[in-house]
Amino acid sequence: KCHICDKQGRPNQFFKNYQSLARHFDREHFLCPHPMCLSARFVVFENEIALRAHERNTHGAAGTGAGGSSKINLEFNVRGSHRRGSDGN
């Protein structure tokens, strides 16, 4: 059962085995790719910000400068809306 989908209001997302659930985690949510977390299972997050914070705090991921900075690099992709005509109407 996917606990992330439950939290997001999409209950009853069941999978026949962990391999299917792990594939769902990877496609639909933010699965930590670190070998330690993959072997621990269920180390998955609702959003990329939570995953990046986990990586930094747990795995010491890059981005912590010599001054002890706690910066997390974020990248956003914005999708344009579908518009009719060249004037946006």
Side-chain angles (χ1 to χ4, degrees), residues 30 48-49 52 72-78:
F30 295 87
E48 188 173 2
I49 294 171
R52 297 295 172 232
I72 299 174
N73 292 326
L74 300 176
E75 183 177 313
F76 294 94
N77 293 314
V78 179

Side-chain angles (χ1 to χ4, degrees), residues 1-88:
K1 183 175 182 179
C2 179
H3 64 282
I4 299 290
C5 285
D6 277 347
K7 284 176 65 177
Q8 294 176 337
R10 295 180 292 165
N12 303 318
Q13 299 292 318
F14 293 95
F15 300 86
K16 68 179 183 176
N17 55 34
Y18 184 77
Q19 183 179 10
S20 297
L21 179 59
R23 194 169 31 253
H24 166 78
F25 284 160
D26 193 40
R27 291 178 180 166
E28 301 295 324
H29 305 299
F30 295 87
L31 181 65
C32 180
H34 191 279
M36 180 179 76
C37 289
L38 291 174
S39 66
R41 299 183 173 191
F42 298 103
V43 183
V44 63
F45 301 90
E46 287 187 72
N47 57 61
E48 188 173 2
I49 294 171
L51 171 61
R52 297 295 172 232
H54 159 80
E55 288 174 330
R56 186 182 59 80
N57 293 332
T58 304
H59 307 299
T64 55
S69 173
S70 59
K71 293 180 182 177
I72 299 174
N73 292 326
L74 300 176
E75 183 177 313
F76 294 94
N77 293 314
V78 179
R79 295 181 184 176
S81 62
H82 297 285
R83 296 184 179 170
R84 293 185 188 146
S86 61
D87 64 353

